[in-house]
Amino acid sequence: MVNSLGDNTSNDGQCTLREAILAANDAPANADCGAGSSADDTITFSVSGTITLGSTLPAIVSGQGALTIDGGGNITVSGGGSVRVMDVSSGADLTLRNITIANGRSTSSGGISNAGTLTVTNSTFSANSADFGGVGGGIANFGTLTVTNSTFSANSALGGNGGGILNAGTLTLKNTIIANSTGGGDCSNFGTVTTKLHQQPHRRLSRLRPDERRERQHHRLRPQPGRADRLPCLLPAAARQPGH
């Protein structure tokens, strides 16, 4: 359990997020977060607040079990406007729950660069940026990404694609809002996208009055801007295949 908002690997008896990830990668910096583990791990927090990073967190690696990081709704991990927050390596498996990823910055993906399997639930990505023609301000996905009940807001890919999410792999969006990106569009797709929205029960079109039927059909065909669960990621008109 992480019990410090610091960002260090000092042997001081305080378990930081950086140290916890190293231990989950079976490469502990010290004993602050316990022994290393090659099995599945879950990182939780006994503190609340913002962890401001001095450098990108250790990459989530393959071959060391699946990792879950649950912020409990009380943790923000910030790149401080200068570093990417996280990397998920090819073959690695990371689940993020109830956490905010904010103010990450890099030339390619300020929030998270994913080449493995990344699952995001009940989380927020805010004010992350990929600069200088970069891609994926919030998340740049080159692997498999599933996002559920989450919000992406005010992220950017200046001069690039995918201010909120850049998908060049497989992406599933469920009841997720991607909106107010300040550059690169909200969501750009170079791969495969599936969108799902919990539907409310409704009467069949054949049982509606003519005016109700026209209204239902109008809204069915009319996407709501910013709602990724109703407006899939789109391939940019002048698209080029992005690199990592």
Side-chain angles (χ1 to χ4, degrees):
M1 178 177 289
V2 173
N3 57 16
S4 170
L5 295 176
D7 180 41
N8 60 67
T9 55
S10 301
N11 189 9
D12 57 6
Q14 299 293 305
C15 179
T16 66
L17 177 58
R18 184 175 298 277
E19 290 171 320
I21 291 173
L22 287 171
N25 284 344
D26 202 19
N30 50 55
D32 287 352
C33 299
S37 169
S38 60
D40 293 351
D41 292 286
T42 297
I43 296 174
T44 58
F45 299 79
S46 64
V47 291
S48 61
T50 299
I51 299 170
T52 300
L53 303 176
S55 61
T56 301
L57 287 167
I60 311 303
V61 300
S62 64
Q64 303 301 329
L67 175 62
T68 297
I69 300 176
D70 191 334
N74 300 310
I75 290 292
T76 295
V77 183
S78 171
S82 60
V83 300
R84 178 188 295 155
V85 175
M86 302 183 75
D87 289 285
V88 182
S89 301
S90 177
D93 189 330
L94 172 66
T95 295
L96 292 179
R97 296 177 184 158
N98 311 308
I99 200 165
T100 295
I101 304 296
N103 299 306
R105 183 178 180 184
S106 176
T107 55
S108 178
S109 180
I112 299 178
S113 179
N114 175 52
T117 298
L118 173 61
T119 303
V120 177
T121 305
N122 298 330
S123 295
T124 298
F125 283 69
S126 177
N128 300 287
S129 62
D131 292 341
F132 312 115
V135 296
I139 298 177
N141 178 50
F142 304 99
T144 300
L145 171 63
T146 301
V147 185
T148 304
N149 296 334
S150 296
T151 299
F152 290 69
S153 179
N155 301 287
S156 67
L158 299 177
N161 293 311
I165 296 176
L166 182 285
N167 177 52
T170 300
L171 169 63
T172 301
L173 296 170
K174 304 176 183 179
N175 300 309
T176 288
I177 296 173
I178 308 176
N180 303 318
S181 299
T182 57
D186 289 327
C187 191
S188 297
N189 177 47
F190 297 85
T192 301
V193 177
T194 300
T195 59
K196 298 180 180 180
L197 174 67
H198 293 316
Q199 302 279 348
Q200 295 294 329
H202 58 275
R203 288 181 290 167
R204 295 179 180 177
L205 286 175
S206 60
R207 297 179 181 177
L208 299 176
R209 299 192 312 268
D211 60 328
E212 291 178 320
R213 188 179 302 117
R214 286 192 298 271
E215 181 70 10
R216 176 69 58 78
Q217 289 173 326
H218 171 73
H219 285 290
R220 179 176 289 178
L221 296 173
R222 183 182 180 186
Q224 297 185 6
R227 286 300 300 268
D229 46 19
R230 298 188 184 182
L231 184 61
C233 287
L234 300 177
L235 182 68
R240 58 180 176 81
Q241 182 66 33
H244 288 53

